[in-house]
Amino acid sequence: MREVVEKVDLAFEVNGDSVRLAVSPDATLAEALRDDLELNGTKTGCEEGECGACSVLLDGKVVNSCLVLALECGGKSVVTIEGLAREGRLHPMQEAFVNHGAIQCGYCSPGMIMTAYALRLENASPTEAEVRRALEGNLCRCTGYRKIIDAVLSLNNGESRHD
Amino acid sequence: MIKTSGDTGTVNKRGTDQESLIGGRIPKLDAPEKAVGLTRYLDDIKLPRMLYGKILYADRPHARVVDIDTSPAAAMYGVRAVITAADIELVRFGFGSDNTALKGEKVTCIRDEIAAVAADTPEIAGEAVKRIRVTYEDLPVVATIEEALASGAPVIHEGAPNNVPFRFDYDHGDIDEGVSQSDVIVEDTFSSQRVAHCCLGTSGLIAHFGPDGRLTLHSLTQVPFLYKHDLSRIVGVPPEKIRVIQPPIGGGFGSKLDVHPFEPICVFLARATGRPVRMVFTREEEFFATPTRQPMVIQLRSGAKRDGTFTFRDVRMTLDNGGRTSWGATTPWISMRTFSSLYRVPHVRQHVDVIYTNNIYACAFRGYGNPQATFALESQIDKLAHELGMDPLDIRLKNAQEPGETTGQGMVLGTCGLADCLKTAAHNAGWDVKHSGPQKPVGKSRRVRGLGMASLFHVGGGAKIYRSDGCGTILQIDDFGGVTVQTGASEIGQGSETVIAQIVAEELGLPIENIRVVNNDSDLKPWDVGVHASRTTFIAGNSALRAARQAKGKLLVAAAEKLNREPDELDLAKGNVVDRETGEPIESIGKVLRGMHFGRKNEMIQATEFYEPPSKMPDEGHKGDISACYAFGTHVAEVEVDLDTGVVRVLGISAAHDVGRVINQLGIEGQIEGGIAQGIGYTLTEEVKVEGGRVVNPSFTDYKLVTTHEVPELKLEFIETHDPAGPHGAKGVAEAPLVPVAPAIANAVYNATGVRMTDLPLTPERVLAKLNESREAERGATDG
Amino acid sequence: MSAMKMYQAPRTLEEVMRAAGETGATIFAGGTDLMPRWSKEIVPRPAAVVDIKAIEGLSGIEVTDGEICIGACTLMSGLDESAALRRAAPILAEAASRIACPQIRNRATLGGNLCNASPAADTAVPLIALDAVVDVAAPGRAGATSREVSITDFFQGPGKTALEPGEVLTRVRFKRPAAVATWAWEKFGTRPAMEIAVASVGVIVEASDGVIERARVAYGSVAPTPLRGHGAEAALVGRRLTDETIGGCVAAARGEISPISDVRASAGYRREMVGVMLRRMLEDARGG
Ligand SMILES: Cc1cc2nc3c(=O)[nH]c(=O)nc-3n(C[C@H](O)[C@H](O)[C@H](O)COP(=O)(O)OP(=O)(O)OC[C@H]3O[C@@H](n4cnc5c(N)ncnc54)[C@H](O)[C@@H]3O)c2cc1C
Ligand code: FES
Ligand code: FES
C-alpha cells in the first residue's frame, strides 16, 4: 500500500506550458496527468504497459505514461492528447481518425493518436507495415484496427501507400 | 443491390453533393470529442466528497465462511465504511437466483464477493480489504463438469443436489425419421473456451444518495431500465427513486447486460457512508471478477441425403456454469436458433445440461451462444460435404434458407440474403480457384494455405425475450430547426447515436449537425429494453423514424397553412420547405417554426413515439417469431498454417452480410471489422485459463488480444435485401460479424492440412498436436 | 505497508552505489520490469529508488574495428535504430527490435533486460552467442572499482545475477563478429508482437570452405537462465552443414535444454520449437 508520504516538487513542461506540482515519489506520470492536472484524455487500461491507452510523448518519444514515474519528468517536456489541437481545430491526425471511423468507444483513441503522431514525427510517410509496427503496442477492442491504420496512412500526402 | 466497401477516405455530409444521408459515410457524432481527449468516462468523473470502493474476493473456489473480522480494516485512517453480508439484506438475484451482493455463508467460486470498503483514496481502500481477516473452512473443489457429475460429488448449491440447475430441450420434427432418411451421418464433439470481453475501459460505478433518498448511479449498464428494476429489488430503493446516468463507456459487447454484484455493493457503501462512492476495476479484477463468454461442449450429430439435403441434427450441449448464474446459462437459447434455422433441416433436437462447478461464471457476450453453435454446425457441415464429395459451397447453397420461409423453429424470414451472401463471399475470396484439395506448401517452406467458409444466422430486428422489446423517442424542434431527440437507446460506442441522428435529419430535411441525441439519463429518456441482440438500429431507428415522421407531418401542415398550399404538395429538404414536385425551396423551416411559435397558434413541434416491433415471445418450446427480421452472412477465410509450429495465420477474410440496408457505411464497416478481429482472437489466441477454479492468466500479458499485425486483408460486401420492417430497410448486424469467424478459419485449416480442429482456440500447440496425430495415423496406415 | 519515499537521479556512479549500497535503494533504469511489478503488487514498492539514466557515459553504442561496447542505459530503440550496430552485430539489433512495442523500446534498457535476469530476456540470447562480457562497477574503498563478468556467468537463476548489492552494470562488450559469420535469431510466440518468448534461439556460425570452424548457439525461455548451447555447438564444429549435421545439432539442442510447462506453453512444445527454429536457421545458413 502507498502510505501518505511527503510530496516532492516537480517542474516540467506539459503541452507547452510550464507546470509545477507536488507529487508523491511513487506517482506515475499517468497519475500526475490525470489526477493532478486533470488531463483525463490520457487513459489507463492496464497499468502495466500492455495496452498503450496511456501513451504520451516524453521529450518527443512515445512512452506508456503508466510506466514512467512522475518525478522522472523533471525538466522534460510531455505532450498529451490535449496538446494536439490548435486554436480549437483538430490536429490532422485527430481529424483523420474522426473521418475514417477509427474511433468507436474511443477509450483507446488518445493513446492511438499519440502513438501515430509520434510515428509521423519521425517518418512522414510510413508504409502500412511501418504503421502496423508503430501501433503494435496499442490495443483496440472495437475497431479491428483496419480503420485506424487507414486513418494514419491517409495523411501520407493525402493518400495511402500500401506495401 | 450490392454495395462494396471501397475507398474509406471520403466523408459525406448533407449539404455537400450527396442528396441522401442514408447509406453515407457519416463520422460518429461523438468522435471529435473523443479524438481530443475531452470525453469523460466513468473513471474520469469525480463527485464532491467522493469515496473509493474496493471489494475483498474469496480467492478460493469452494469454502464455508466461518468468521470475518473487519476490525483491522475499520481501524485504518481514511476508511469510512466496511461491509459484509451481515450488514446488508441478502436479496437473491441473477437468472438462477443463486447470487447475492455479498456472500456470508458459502463461497462457490474465487470471485465471490465477501466484504467491501469505502475509503478516502483507492490506495487506502486497497490496503484495507487486505487487512480483513476471513476464516474459511475449505470444501472439496469441483473443477470440471466430470467432477460435478461424478457420483458423490460435493453439492455446490442446495437447490441443485445433482449440480444440474437447468436443463433445456428443444425439438421440431422427428429425429428417428431424420436418421432413417440419411445416407451419411457424422458425429463430433466440439468445445469452446472462456473468453473475456476485454473492454479497454474497465467495469465500474458511482453510486450516490441524495438527501431525499433518491439514488443516482453513474453506470455503464447497457440496459438502464431493466437495471433500475433489478437493482431496486436488491438494494431496496423503489425504481422511481433511481436515476441512471450513463457516461460514455470504454466498450460493452454484452458485458453490461446483467446487474453484477459490485453494483449493489457500491450502492450499499454509498448508503453506509452517505457519500458518493466510486468503484473502478483494475485490469486484473476485470479478468477474474467479471463474467466471461460461456464455455460449451457440443456433441453434434447430423445427417444428409446423398444429394446433400440435410435430414436431421441432434445436439447435446453441456455448459460449465461456474459457481453462480448470470446470463451465460441462457445462451443456448440463441444457439438453438442457429441449429434449427440457419439452413433448412426438417428434424432437430437439442438438449442442454447446465452444470454447476466451482469455476468463474459467464454472461452475455456479442453473439450470445451463437459463435459456439456456429463453430460446431459449420465445421460439421464442412465434414458432411467432404463425406459426400461435395463442394462446401454447394452443400450450403442446397440447404440455404430462402425469403418467405418459416423455419422449423417458427421464425418467419421476410427477407433472406443467405444464398447471395454465400456466393458473394466465395466469389470475392477466389473460392473456385483456391479451394481445391489439400493445399501445396508455399514455395519451399513448410507452410500451407487453405480456404474455409461459414455462414451465420442471427436476430436482426430485436429479440422479444421480455414482454416488450420496444423503444421510446421524444423529439422536439426548437425555433431554429435544432432538433433534440431523446431516445431510449443507449450508446456503447457502436454508433447508434449517429444512426438515429441520420434518420431524423433525413426525414426532416435538416443537416445532421442540427440533431442532438440525448440518450444517457433515465430521468430524461423514454423506456427501452437496452442494447443487446443487435437491436438498436432496427428498434430505436424505427422509433426515431416514426417520431420524425410525426414531426414532419405537423411541420408540413403548419407550412401549408402559412403558404396556402396543401401539405401533400410540400416536402422538407436542405433546411427548407420545398415544393414536392419541383424541389423548389419555398420557405425556410426555421421561419415556419417561428411562425408557429409566435403566431396565432402558439405551437411548438414535439412528437413522441413508442415503437414495439411485430415480433412474438417464444412459446415454452422455444418456438416463435422472436425477431422482426433476421440477419445472415457468410465469411470465407484464407489461412496459412505452419506445419512445423502449428501457427495459423489468417491472410484474408471475405465477408458478405445481409444487412437489409446500409444506413451508415462507415459505422457498419467498423462493426464488421471489429467483429472479425474479435472473432480472430476468439479462434486463435484468446482464453481465460482456469485451473482448479483459479484464473491463471489475468492480464493482457498472457491473455492475448490480436494486435495491428494480425489484421488480415478484408473484403466486405453488404447484401441489401431492404427488409420492409426495418428503418429504410435496415436490419441489425452488431453481433453478426463475430459469429462465423471461428468455423471459417477452422474449415480453412482443414482445407490446408486435412486436419479438423474441434476445440477452440486453435493455439499453435493444439494445431501441432493434431497435425502430429494425423501424421502418426498416416504412417501407421502406410506401415500396416 | 510499504511506500516509496524517495526518488533520486544522481549524476555519478558513486552516488548511485552509495544510495544502492547504503540505503538499499533500488536501481531504476527504464522501469519497464519494475513498475508493472509494483502496480500489480507482485513485489512491494521499495522505500527508495535511484534512477541511473542521468549518469553520464552510461548510454551509447561504440563500434570499433575490434570491439563493440554498449552502455547499460542504452535503450532498445537505440539498439534497433543504430546503423552501426545493424552492420556490426545485427543479431543484437534484431532481438532488441522485437521486444514489445515502441513505447516499451523507448524506455527499456539493455542493462535492465540483463539485470532483470528473466530466462526470456530477449537480448541475452544474442549476447551469449556473441560471447559478451559485462562490466560491473562495485563500491570500493577508493571510489568505484570495476570487474568483468562473462555473460554466461552473469545469469545465475530466474531473477538472479552475479551482482552484489550496490553493484551497477555499466557496460556490455563483445568482439565484433567476423565478417564471414552468419547469424540468426528468432523468438517464438503466438503473436507477432507484444510477446514474451515461448522459446528463442540465436546462432552464429563461421565456416571456411563449407566446414564450420566456430559456432555459438544460445537459447531463451527453456531453462532457469538464458542458456549457451555447448552441445549443439559441438555438433556443428568441424562439420559441413549436411542434413545429418543439422539433425545431430537439433538432437543435441533438445537434449541440453530443460524447459518447463507454464501458462504460455508446455515443456514438450518448447522443446519442439527450439528444434524447429534451430533446424530452419541451419537450413537457411546452408543456403537453399
Ligand atoms: C509490456 C511489456 C512487454 C515486454 N516485452 C518484453 C520482451 O518482449 N522481451 C524482453 O526481453 N523483455 C520484455 N519486457 C521486459 C522489459 O521491458 C525488459 O526486460 C527491459 O529491458 C528492462 O529494462 P528496464 O530498463 O526497463 O529495467 P528496470 O525495470 O529499470 O530494471 C529491471 C531490473 O534491473 C535492475 N537494473 C536495471 N539496470 C541496472 C543496472 N545498470 N545495474 C544494476 N541493476 C540494474 C533493476 O534494479 C531491476 O531489478 C517487457 C515489459 C513490458 C512491460
Ligand atoms: S495503462 Fe499504460 S499501457 Fe495500459
Ligand atoms: S475504439 Fe474502443 S477500444 Fe478502440
Side-chain angles (χ1 to χ4, degrees), chain B residues 685-708:
Chain B
T685 55
E686 292 181 36
E687 176 167 16
V688 178
K689 296 181 184 161
V690 178
E691 287 171 14
R694 284 172 192 283
V695 176
V696 296
N697 60 337
S699 81
F700 284 140
T701 315
D702 288 309
Y703 184 93
K704 295 174 194 291
L705 294 179
V706 300
T707 70
T708 44

Side-chain angles (χ1 to χ4, degrees), chain B residues 156-226:
Chain B
I156 294 170
H157 288 280
E158 263 152 36
N162 54 358
N163 289 332
V164 187
F166 313 100
R167 294 184 201 278
F168 307 118
D169 282 289
Y170 168 81
D171 72 281
H172 74 249
D174 174 359
I175 292 293
D176 292 338
E177 201 183 317
V179 170
S180 69
Q181 293 165 349
S182 305
D183 295 315
V184 257
I185 293 178
V186 290
E187 187 167 358
D188 300 279
T189 301
F190 298 91
S191 75
S192 58
Q193 77 282 31
R194 289 181 186 82
V195 291
H197 301 79
C198 294
C199 303
L200 261 263
T202 57
S203 304
L205 182 73
I206 303 175
H208 172 210
F209 281 95
D212 51 1
R214 279 178 62 94
L215 171 61
T216 301
L217 302 161
H218 286 75
S219 165
L220 305 181
T221 182
Q222 293 175 226
V223 289
F225 294 96
L226 300 178

Side-chain angles (χ1 to χ4, degrees), chain B residues 46 70 163 171 319 326 332 467 681 735:
Chain B
K46 279 186 189 161
T70 57
N163 289 332
D171 72 281
L319 273 57
S326 176
R467 271 179 318 200
E735 296 170 277

Side-chain angles (χ1 to χ4, degrees), chain A residues 104-108 140-143, chain B residues 200:
Chain A
Q104 287 188 27
C105 84
Y107 207 84
C108 71
C140 174
R141 190 54 153 167
C142 302
T143 64
Chain B
L200 261 263

Side-chain angles (χ1 to χ4, degrees), chain A residues 14 21 27 42 44 52 70-71 91 99 112 117 120:
Chain A
V14 180
L21 278 183
T42 299
T44 54
L71 288 176
H91 183 275
N99 289 341
M112 281 288 178
Y117 171 78
R120 281 178 52 84

